[in-house]
Amino acid sequence: MKLTVLGNTGPYPKAGGACSGYLLENGDSKVVLDMGNGTLANLRTICDIEDITAVICSHLHPDHISDLFVLRYALEMRGMTIPLYAPDSPDKEFDRLSYKNVFDLTPITEDLKLEIGGMTFSFMEMRHPLKDFAIKAYDGKSTFMYTGDTAMCQALEEFTKGVDVLLCDSAFLDDVDSAIHLSMEKAIQNANNAGVRRLILTHFSPEISPQRYYEIGNGRFNGRLSKAEIMANFTI
Ligand SMILES: [Zn+2]
Ligand SMILES: [Zn+2]
């Protein structure tokens, strides 16, 4: 699998930046994980809209889904429908995704298992003000996981077990206790406890450079630490 970062901040972008969005590829399959503001423009530097296999959204906060509302025009103009997987809550936000049936919409549950392009996807609900699912992908060799937005919780610890590469919310540079996001310290602790091989920090504050997170976090993680810079790619 190959991961490319399309956006890396929340809950709003820095100058010239983009909020959460990642492209996960396996062979010709292209699965987009979250589609925050600015990510569609970055995705289009890599592939055509016709090449998108599916979109999976961790949760329905605007910094993770806002470009879906412009992608739908591009799909409508091409007469295309693509699969979209997202939590069904809040109702009003979920209903907004059913515009002209350009998305073949499936609610995410913990029971959902998807086979897309040689990857098996599974899901577990995390801890966030909106219903948020961590997304796991296994290609028969390696396991990748993206947390979406989450605070520290038992479900996160459970789901991280056996993960090779973890793309993880680390919104707070300082080790604050939060019911919304992880601090970098908690992201590193959780990854260390699970024996993760590579930790990719993301969901940075738009007011702090990713390099600052990396400098402070490096040396505390037992595996290889990376930062999700826009357009960086990682082999998984
Ligand atoms: Zn967010
Ligand atoms: Zn959120």
Side-chain angles (χ1 to χ4, degrees), residues 9-13 19-20 34-39 59-69 90 93 96 128 130 149 203:
T9 59
Y12 59 95
C19 287
S20 296
D34 283 349
M35 198 170 250
N37 42 293
T39 58
H59 68 299
L60 303 183
H61 270 147
D63 55 323
H64 296 253
I65 63 165
S66 54
D67 270 8
L68 290 176
F69 298 104
E93 295 299 321
R96 287 175 69 207
H128 197 56
L130 295 195
D149 288 357
H203 208 291

Side-chain angles (χ1 to χ4, degrees), residues 129-145:
L130 295 195
K131 195 190 258 191
D132 173 289
F133 288 92
I135 302 163
K136 199 179 261 186
Y138 176 64
D139 66 355
K141 296 192 295 274
S142 301
T143 302
F144 165 76
M145 173 176 152

Side-chain angles (χ1 to χ4, degrees), residues 2-9 13-25 30 32-49 51-52 63 67 70-71 228-233:
K2 180 181 161 191
L3 179 78
T4 305
V5 179
L6 306 174
N8 61 357
T9 59
K14 65 178 182 183
C19 287
S20 296
Y22 310 91
L23 175 64
L24 187 63
E25 295 174 271
K30 291 180 167 51
V32 181
L33 309 177
D34 283 349
M35 198 170 250
N37 42 293
T39 58
L40 181 57
N42 290 335
L43 179 67
R44 296 202 73 192
T45 67
I46 302 172
C47 67
D48 291 326
I49 284 165
D51 298 329
I52 302 171
D63 55 323
D67 270 8
V70 289
L71 173 64
E229 294 276 14
I230 292 179
M231 303 315 287
N233 57 63

Side-chain angles (χ1 to χ4, degrees), residues 57-151:
C57 291
S58 62
H59 68 299
L60 303 183
H61 270 147
D63 55 323
H64 296 253
I65 63 165
S66 54
D67 270 8
L68 290 176
F69 298 104
V70 289
L71 173 64
R72 65 188 186 181
Y73 297 131
L75 295 172
E76 183 185 5
M77 290 168 80
R78 286 164 171 75
M80 282 177 64
T81 299
I82 61 170
L84 170 63
Y85 304 89
D88 61 2
S89 169
D91 300 357
K92 263 193 191 158
E93 295 299 321
F94 189 70
D95 291 347
R96 287 175 69 207
L97 301 174
S98 53
Y99 172 88
K100 294 191 181 176
N101 298 320
V102 293
F103 298 120
D104 182 6
L105 196 53
T106 304
I108 295 175
T109 65
E110 290 189 347
D111 296 331
L112 183 68
K113 287 268 185 297
L114 301 173
E115 298 288 340
I116 305 174
M119 295 177 281
T120 304
F121 287 88
S122 55
F123 305 89
M124 188 174 276
E125 189 171 349
M126 298 286 112
R127 178 183 169 209
H128 197 56
L130 295 195
K131 195 190 258 191
D132 173 289
F133 288 92
I135 302 163
K136 199 179 261 186
Y138 176 64
D139 66 355
K141 296 192 295 274
S142 301
T143 302
F144 165 76
M145 173 176 152
Y146 166 50
T147 58
D149 288 357
T150 187

